[in-house]
Amino acid sequence: MALPAFFNPIVNAPASQKLVAGIMGLLVICGVAYVFLLQPVMTHIDALRPEVSKLQGEVAQNRRILADLMKFRREVAELEARLNALKDRLPSEREMPGLYRTLSDAAASAGLGVSLFQPRPVVVQEVYTEIPITLNGEAGYHQVGEFLEKVARLPRVVTVNEIRMSTGNRPRNPVKAELVLATYMYRPVGSPPPPKPAGAR
């Protein structure tokens, strides 16, 4: 099929002119493609760059928050484990009569002649309840020390908050010991205080 006559000057032109014309045509096509296709896309990309940077910052911040959250969860788990271990050492309300008997038996086995064993009114704290116990008795120094050692070895937490020692009236029991012991019950935040222990005034 023959080309129209107006293509004859191009077809019959020397090879160098054809090369120049081809390069010029290619440049025109590239220019038109850049203006109508690439430039709008690049402008859109430039407009999106601040938003991308903002999103990358938010992603980095969320990763830091997630790392902190995992750390806090580990710390909470460790604290809960420690709290459960401590709760296991604190007597429950129904264990209190048994603990009173254990303290009384410890005093008797140490040779401490108990003249007064009296639970006091409870002291309510935020997460625990303190139960003071007054214990008065007479014995020798070694018997008092043995009783305190037995108290320290109890599986439930019992502390000695006060101790006063004076000369006893009996030669076989030269020491009069006045002690204020205390044990503790776990108290969840917001829970009502426990009832007064038996014998408290």
Side-chain angles (χ1 to χ4, degrees):
M1 180 177 169
L3 292 171
F6 65 84
F7 283 109
N8 287 338
I10 298 171
V11 172
N12 297 327
S16 60
Q17 289 180 359
K18 288 180 182 178
L19 180 62
V20 170
I23 291 172
M24 292 295 291
L26 185 60
L27 289 175
V28 168
I29 291 170
C30 289
V32 170
Y34 176 78
V35 170
F36 290 103
L37 297 176
L38 290 177
Q39 191 174 20
V41 171
M42 292 177 68
T43 303
H44 186 62
I45 289 172
D46 289 339
L48 290 176
R49 277 198 176 110
E51 187 175 349
V52 169
S53 298
K54 179 183 175 184
L55 291 173
Q56 286 174 340
E58 289 177 1
V59 167
Q61 182 180 4
N62 288 336
R63 282 179 179 160
R64 286 193 297 272
I65 291 171
L66 180 61
D68 289 342
L69 180 62
M70 299 303 289
K71 177 184 170 187
F72 292 144
R73 283 182 177 166
R74 283 194 301 272
E75 290 176 358
V76 166
E78 290 171 7
L79 290 173
E80 284 179 348
R82 288 173 59 190
L83 176 61
N84 288 333
L86 288 173
K87 281 164 59 177
D88 288 343
R89 295 205 59 211
L90 300 180
S92 64
E93 188 175 335
R94 66 177 176 219
E95 291 177 309
M96 289 308 299
L99 180 62
Y100 295 151
R101 281 193 299 275
T102 300
L103 287 170
S104 181
D105 292 346
S109 67
L112 184 63
V114 177
S115 59
L116 177 66
F117 186 95
Q118 184 178 47
R120 291 182 174 181
V122 298
V123 180
V124 178
Q125 303 291 348
E126 187 175 356
V127 293
Y128 68 90
T129 300
E130 180 180 340
I131 304 168
I133 304 162
T134 299
L135 188 148
N136 295 345
E138 293 185 359
Y141 286 104
H142 294 296
Q143 284 83 12
V144 174
E146 185 180 343
F147 170 70
L148 294 177
E149 184 181 352
K150 288 178 183 294
V151 168
R153 288 201 308 257
L154 290 174
R156 297 292 185 243
V157 174
V158 178
T159 60
V160 180
N161 287 0
E162 295 178 27
I163 182 167
R164 285 194 301 271
M165 298 177 75
S166 57
T167 305
N169 298 328
R170 302 174 186 173
R172 294 184 63 185
N173 297 324
V175 175
K176 183 177 181 182
E178 299 176 8
L179 308 172
V180 177
L181 309 174
T183 188
Y184 308 87
M185 284 195 299
Y186 173 68
R187 178 178 176 270
V189 176
S191 63
K196 291 182 180 180
R201 291 179 183 173

